[in-house]
Amino acid sequence: MEGKKRICIAEDHTILREGLRVLLSQDAELEVVCEVHDGLELIQRCRENIPDLILLDLSMPRLGGLEAIHEIKKRVPQSKILVLTVHDVEEYILAALRSGADGYVLKDATHAELRVAIRSVLMGKTYLSPGVSGKVVKGYLQTKSAEEPRSTWDSLTHRERELLKFIGEGHKNKEIAQYLHLSVKTVETHRANLMKKLNLHSAAALTVYAVEKGLVLR
């Protein structure tokens, strides 16, 4: 790698975020240029200060990691994204990769593995922790049939999933409108479409569904 690579750390736990900064700062080839604690702040900071690599947790307030990955890849596609998370289930892994993540590392990884992952992703390679690579292969084999019917979950748009997460976290329409820079009427329309698709007719039912799909942690 030529020159210092600019790193952004997106992690809502302060102790872990500070620990990662100290750890990465020991590497002469890396420079931590920003630290954020939620997805919306991450998108704003990345547009202002484009990093070479984003070290990102999937569980963040306001805007979750999956939605943040999707938005970042649209707005600053040159930034590489390495997920660092505790989630080792197939659904999370595949969702992150489909959203545009360049690598996926579990938080029980060693410092040495994290260094390898960062370098691999910066070199344009995809890196998966050994503990998750087998699950990725299994997941793709199970869904390889092009004729397999789409589930209701698969039919949801990115905006509808984004809205579902906010509803699951207990936000009202006005708050959601402010977060997403939409009108309240537009949010109400998306909400109605979401309920119709899922055949769910209350905020409580939507919250349960959001938890089941991993958009909200309980």
Side-chain angles (χ1 to χ4, degrees):
M1 297 188 297
E2 296 182 3
K4 283 193 173 186
K5 296 299 181 181
R6 300 156 56 82
I7 310 295
C8 179
I9 301 173
E11 166 63 57
D12 65 323
H13 290 92
T14 303
I15 292 177
L16 181 53
R17 189 173 64 249
E18 291 178 349
L20 285 169
R21 171 173 48 78
V22 172
L23 193 65
L24 297 179
S25 296
Q26 295 174 0
D27 192 321
E29 296 180 345
L30 305 177
E31 177 185 8
V32 177
V33 295
C34 69
E35 302 172 47
V36 301
H37 73 282
D38 67 63
L40 289 181
E41 183 185 6
L42 172 63
I43 292 172
Q44 179 181 352
R45 294 289 297 277
C46 284
R47 293 175 68 181
E48 297 170 352
N49 194 8
I50 299 174
D52 295 299
L53 181 140
I54 300 163
L55 196 59
L56 175 146
D57 188 11
L58 291 181
S59 303
M60 292 188 293
R62 295 212 292 169
L63 188 67
L66 294 177
E67 292 79 12
I69 293 170
H70 182 85
E71 289 299 319
I72 289 167
K73 284 300 182 179
K74 285 197 306 184
R75 303 180 189 207
V76 282
Q78 62 269 50
S79 293
K80 302 293 185 181
I81 299 177
L82 177 60
V83 172
L84 180 63
T85 181
V86 297
H87 301 298
D88 64 349
V89 294
E90 177 187 312
E91 183 176 354
Y92 279 102
I93 302 164
L94 295 178
L97 294 176
R98 288 167 180 158
S99 294
D102 300 285
Y104 199 102
V105 179
L106 299 178
K107 284 186 176 178
D108 62 0
T110 64
H111 180 200
E113 182 186 348
L114 181 59
R115 287 168 59 93
V116 170
I118 290 173
R119 277 162 173 70
S120 296
V121 169
L122 285 171
M123 292 172 64
K125 301 177 182 178
T126 299
Y127 183 90
L128 301 176
S129 282
V132 306
S133 57
K135 295 181 180 181
V136 171
V137 173
K138 178 183 177 182
Y140 277 118
L141 288 176
Q142 289 177 339
T143 58
K144 67 180 180 179
S145 173
E147 298 179 357
E148 184 177 333
R150 296 181 74 203
S151 67
T152 303
W153 169 251
D154 290 332
S155 72
L156 298 184
T157 65
H158 170 71
R159 180 64 80 190
E160 287 167 343
R161 294 189 188 193
E162 195 172 43
L163 182 68
L164 180 61
K165 174 179 171 59
F166 280 115
I167 294 172
E169 291 177 341
H171 296 288
K172 304 302 182 184
N173 287 350
K174 185 176 181 180
E175 295 174 315
I176 298 172
Q178 292 174 340
Y179 284 140
L180 299 180
H181 304 291
L182 300 173
S183 69
V184 174
K185 185 175 181 180
T186 298
V187 170
E188 290 172 348
T189 299
H190 283 311
R191 187 171 187 142
N193 291 337
L194 181 63
M195 286 182 161
K196 183 177 180 181
K197 279 187 178 182
L198 297 177
N199 194 27
L200 299 174
H201 307 292
S202 70
L206 289 172
T207 297
V208 171
Y209 188 82
V211 172
E212 290 175 349
K213 290 301 180 182
L215 293 179
V216 179
L217 301 182
R218 288 287 187 268

